[in-house]
Each structure stands twice: as C-alpha cells, then as structure tokens.
Amino acid sequence: LGFFLKPGRSRLFEETFLDPGGFRLLDLVYGFDPDDPTGKKKYEPQGPIDTYCWNSRAAKDTRLRFDIYKNEMLSHGRKYGKEGPFTIVSLGSGPGRDINDIILQLSAEGYDVSAICVDRNAEAVKLGRLVADKKGLNGKITYVHGDAVNFKDRIEPKSPVKIIIKEGLVDYLSNEKAEILFNNAYEVLSDGGVSLASNMYRAGRIKPLMVLTGWDRKMKYRDGEELGSFYNNGSRFDGVNISTAGRTHFIAAGYKNGSKPIPSLV
Ligand SMILES: C[S@@+](CC[C@H](N)C(=O)[O-])C[C@H]1O[C@@H](n2cnc3c(N)ncnc32)[C@H](O)[C@@H]1O
C-alpha cells in the first residue's frame, strides 16, 4: 500500500476511495495539473491506481455530467447576465475549476459576473486561489473555507445571487443536512434565480475496491426524485426539473418564484 500512497501517486486513490468527497478525480476530469506552474498542462494518471480511477465508470460519467452541467451553467448565465451584474455561488466547489471556466467564458462575452466558492477542504481553497490568480480571475472569484451547508453568513455577494450550484456535494450529506442546504439556498437566491444540484446514483454492482475502502458506505446515493424532493420539502422552489447525465448521475434545477425553466432541462 505504501507504494501507492506516495505523494503524487496516491492523491486520486485517497480522495476517490479512502476519503471520498475529494476533488482530485476532477483534476483528471477537467484536465488540470495542480503541479504545473502555468496551470495549463493536462493532468495525466500517475500510476496504476490513478489509471484505474481514470478508467472507472464513475470518472466517465463525471466527465459526461460535467459537459452537460457546464452548458446548463452557461445558458443560465447568459440569461441572467442580460439583466445586469450577478453572482454565482458554488457550494462544495473544490478548487472551483468548473466555475473558472464559466466565469472566463461569460466575462469574455461581456457579462458582469462574479463567483463565490465555498469548500471545507483547505487544500482545495488554496489551490483554487492559486489557479484563479494564474487565470487573472482575482476579484471575480472569492474563496471561502468552511462548511457549505450553513454558508449564508459567510458570504458577501457583490451583486444578486442568481445561480447556486451544488455539484457533487449532496452525495456526502445526510437528508437532514441536505434539507438545510436547499432551504439556505432558497433564502440566498434572488427572485427568478436557479439552484442547481447534481448527485450520483449507484446502478449495478459495487467494485471490490469500493467495498474494501468503505467507499460505498460513505456515499448517499439518491435517485432523481429523491434529489428533487429536497427542493420542495420545507422550501418553495417552482419548476423543479430533473435530467439524467449518463447512467449514474442526476442533475436537478429548482427555480425561485416562477422563473421559467430552461427548455433543455425539461
Ligand atoms: C466531488 S467534489 C466536487 C467539487 C466541485 N463541485 C467540482 O465539481 O469540481 C465534492 C467537494 O465537496 C466538498 N465538501 C463535501 N462536504 C462538504 C461540506 N459539508 N462543506 C463544504 N464542502 C464540502 C469536498 O471538500 C469536495 O471538494
């Protein structure tokens, strides 16, 4: 095991299996190498465990989910951007690389958009700040280190919050915590804003590595309807839509106060 746990070789293994809820798998998904000073080089699998993770179905589905997710974020962003400056809040953001891309793209199109990323992992927050700096996004993205469930008092948005995303966060929360999260998101969102969430849904057999590392027990799998139910249990989102990304992921969108759903999600 020591061989695999060497720094650099082990990070995907640790965060994918030993301490799920990490973001390293997404370094691969988004093609970012945290050790490259330019922040541009594609991150490559660094050993047999990395390769296993990279080729796993979860990684493939995550790549698919990300493609869908990114397009949804962009179409929502263009809609809100036409109304004036707005803020995106990403909860359980990791280093926020998905957000970086969205902010860069929307800014290039002339929209006045900023983002706040909240994550409990100090390393993710540090890395996020570093990458944002390299990409010239300082001032546009703020990183907050802490719990994403009770995020309300920690953030100071400069413009109305129109999009809140919880990409890959709900999987790690109990039902009670998830309820609180969705209610808090409702309070923070401006009218007409959208609250997006994605979750994994385990279909098929559990792999031996998952059993050995207890990975499966640490995750909260929910199907689309269960994920969608958090929007309306105790809160009042209108027009909740669920879409499927790949075989194992769901994306749900809840709109605050009557905004019309984006057609592609219906
Ligand atoms: C699978 S990663 C997703 C990262 C990011 N949303 C993305 O798509 O690139 C899940 C992230 O949620 C964070 N996380 C899990 N539970 C959290 C909590 N209660 N508060 C804050 N962050 C949390 C983890 O630290 C991790 O960075």
Side-chain angles (χ1 to χ4, degrees):
L1 198 64
F3 170 78
F4 292 119
L5 294 184
K6 277 194 187 136
R9 221 174 244 140
S10 64
R11 52 188 172 215
L12 276 179
F13 178 74
E14 281 171 41
E15 292 201 3
T16 305
F17 294 105
L18 295 184
D19 185 20
F23 53 86
R24 289 299 185 190
L25 186 61
L26 299 166
D27 283 337
L28 279 173
V29 173
Y30 304 149
F32 171 74
D33 178 358
D35 296 327
D36 178 3
T38 65
K40 283 182 193 150
K41 203 175 113 194
K42 193 167 161 27
Y43 181 83
E44 300 289 350
Q46 294 182 29
I49 294 286
D50 278 17
T51 307
Y52 175 91
C53 295
W54 173 237
N55 289 324
S56 70
R57 202 172 89 178
K60 283 177 188 148
D61 279 337
T62 298
R63 288 193 281 276
L64 185 59
R65 174 178 63 162
F66 182 60
D67 281 348
I68 294 173
Y69 214 86
K70 203 166 155 180
N71 285 331
E72 291 302 337
M73 294 275 294
L74 284 172
S75 46
H76 282 91
R78 290 182 185 117
K79 185 181 72 167
Y80 297 125
K82 289 195 178 81
E83 296 161 12
F86 72 102
T87 296
I88 301 174
V89 175
S90 176
L91 302 172
S93 60
R97 286 177 294 272
D98 47 348
I99 289 294
N100 286 346
D101 285 357
I102 304 289
I103 300 290
L104 276 172
Q105 177 70 34
L106 290 176
S107 301
E109 291 175 24
Y111 299 111
D112 185 349
V113 54
S114 31
I116 301 171
C117 293
V118 185
D119 204 281
R120 67 176 174 191
N121 184 313
E123 193 201 346
V125 168
K126 200 170 141 200
L127 183 58
R129 287 189 183 125
L130 194 82
V131 178
D133 194 23
K134 275 180 199 143
K135 293 194 172 181
L137 285 167
N138 270 343
K140 288 226 166 248
I141 305 189
T142 310
Y143 286 86
V144 178
H145 178 215
D147 179 35
V149 176
N150 292 299
F151 69 99
K152 275 190 302 181
D153 303 331
R154 295 207 180 85
I155 63 164
E156 289 173 15
K158 291 180 225 145
S159 51
V161 177
K162 289 291 189 183
I163 303 177
I164 297 184
I165 71 163
K166 308 162 227 67
E167 147 89 322
L169 170 65
V170 188
D171 322 49
Y172 307 102
L173 302 178
S174 65
N175 284 358
E176 293 72 24
K177 286 259 167 100
E179 290 286 348
I180 297 169
L181 175 76
F182 280 79
N183 284 336
N184 285 342
Y186 186 87
E187 276 183 42
V188 169
L189 262 190
S190 306
D191 279 356
V194 66
S195 167
L196 293 163
S198 66
N199 192 53
M200 283 186 276
Y201 173 63
R202 183 169 64 73
R205 233 162 28 90
I206 312 172
K207 297 247 168 66
L209 197 52
M210 293 177 175
V211 176
L212 281 172
T213 56
W215 190 84
D216 202 51
R217 286 196 306 276
K218 292 172 192 157
M219 307 299 291
K220 264 273 185 198
Y221 297 111
R222 299 179 177 97
D223 66 19
E225 266 188 26
E226 282 175 283
L227 181 62
S229 72
F230 291 119
Y231 284 100
N232 288 320
N233 289 348
S235 54
R236 295 164 289 130
F237 287 98
D238 297 330
V240 178
N241 297 309
I242 319 276
S243 65
T244 306
R247 291 159 298 188
T248 55
H249 292 94
F250 290 92
I251 295 172
Y255 298 85
K256 178 162 173 173
N257 292 344
S259 169
K260 288 279 173 286
I262 294 275
S264 60
L265 266 175
V266 178

